[in-house]
Amino acid sequence: RIAEVEGMERRGRVLALLTFTKQICNHPAQYLSERGPLAGRSGKLERLTEMLEEALAAGDKALVFTQFREMGVILQQHLHERFGQRVPFLHGGVSKNQRDRMVAEFQNGSAVSPLLLVSLKAGGVGLNLTAASQVVHFDRWWNPAVEDQATDRAWRIGQERTVFVHKLVCEGTIEERIDALINDKRGLASAVVGSTGEEWLSELSTDDLRSLVQLDLSKARPT
C-alpha cells in the first residue's frame, strides 16, 4: 500500500506502519487492543519484570518510560498483578495538581510504589525525579534527543546516585535496526532526526522500509 501512493498520504501510511510495528514489539495486547492475558506473550514485558524485581530487591526506585498511553495502562495492570502495587502513571492527561503530587510523593518516599510509569512526552520537560536510580525505556522514540531529555529527569543537579539507563529492544525487528543506526552513528542520527520526531523515517525508500520492518527469523525464538 505504501508503494502505491506518494506525498502526504505515503508519509501517513509509513508512520502508521511504524506505530503498528512498535505496538507489536511491545506486546500483542497493545496492538490488538486487548486487556489480557499479558504473561508469556512478550519478551519485553518478561525482561522488564525481571529488571524491576531486581530493582525492588535492591531497594532502588525506578522510572519506566513509554511513548504510548495505552501501553502505560497495560503496564500498570501487569505490575499491579505481579507486585501487588498500584504503580502511578504520569501522562499528558494528568492534571497539574496530580502531577505535582505524584512527583513529590515519588521524591520524598511517600508514594504507594517505588516505581513510576511516565509517558515519554509528559516526562520531557520540567520534572525532577532524582530519587530514581534506574531508568527504563520500554519502547524507543527514535529521536535520541527526546530519549535523552526524558532520561535527564533522573540525571539532574542534586542527583547523588549512579543512574542506570536501560533501553529495551525487540531482537530481529525494526527496533534493533534503528537502535543500531542511532548507536553506531549517533551524531549523524541526531543531525538527520533533528526535532522532527520520527518523521525522518517516512522519507526512506520503499525498499529500505521493507528491509527495516522485515522480521529476522534467525533471531526468532520458539514459544
Side-chain angles (χ1 to χ4, degrees), residues 62-218:
L63 304 175
V64 180
F65 286 99
T66 176
Q67 66 176 281
F68 298 104
R69 182 167 173 174
E70 61 269 28
M71 192 64 222
V73 173
I74 290 173
L75 290 174
Q76 264 190 315
Q77 175 188 337
H78 172 73
L79 296 176
H80 182 253
E81 293 171 353
R82 179 64 184 82
F83 299 121
Q85 298 180 358
R86 297 182 62 84
V87 179
F89 179 26
L90 199 166
H91 54 78
V94 173
S95 70
K96 183 181 185 303
N97 287 340
Q98 288 176 304
R99 169 191 173 113
D100 292 345
R101 186 176 67 251
M102 280 186 191
V103 171
E105 290 176 347
F106 184 80
Q107 286 291 96
N108 65 30
S110 64
V112 294
S113 172
L115 310 176
L116 179 63
L117 296 166
V118 188
S119 73
L120 199 60
K121 288 186 177 179
V125 179
L127 291 181
N128 188 334
L129 296 166
T130 53
S133 56
Q134 304 281 344
V135 175
V136 183
H137 290 276
F138 187 76
D139 43 58
R140 307 296 304 279
W141 184 269
W142 294 321
N143 180 334
V146 174
E147 285 191 340
D148 291 347
Q149 191 178 53
T151 297
D152 285 346
R153 298 315 94 200
W155 187 254
R156 295 172 68 84
I157 294 173
Q159 176 58 269
E160 299 176 351
R161 304 171 182 83
T162 300
V163 178
F164 297 91
V165 181
H166 315 273
K167 300 179 180 182
L168 302 186
V169 173
C170 197
E171 283 188 319
T173 71
I174 184 174
E175 286 194 321
E176 187 176 47
R177 298 182 184 101
I178 296 295
D179 180 68
L181 169 65
I182 291 174
N183 287 334
D184 293 346
K185 302 178 180 179
R186 190 173 181 84
L188 175 61
S190 297
V192 171
V193 175
S195 60
T196 59
E198 302 177 346
E199 294 179 5
W200 63 284
L201 289 165
S202 68
E203 303 301 325
L204 296 176
S205 70
T206 301
D207 286 342
D208 287 341
L209 282 169
R210 187 176 288 109
S211 297
L212 276 177
V213 301
Q214 186 176 18
L215 180 66
D216 183 352
L217 294 178
S218 70

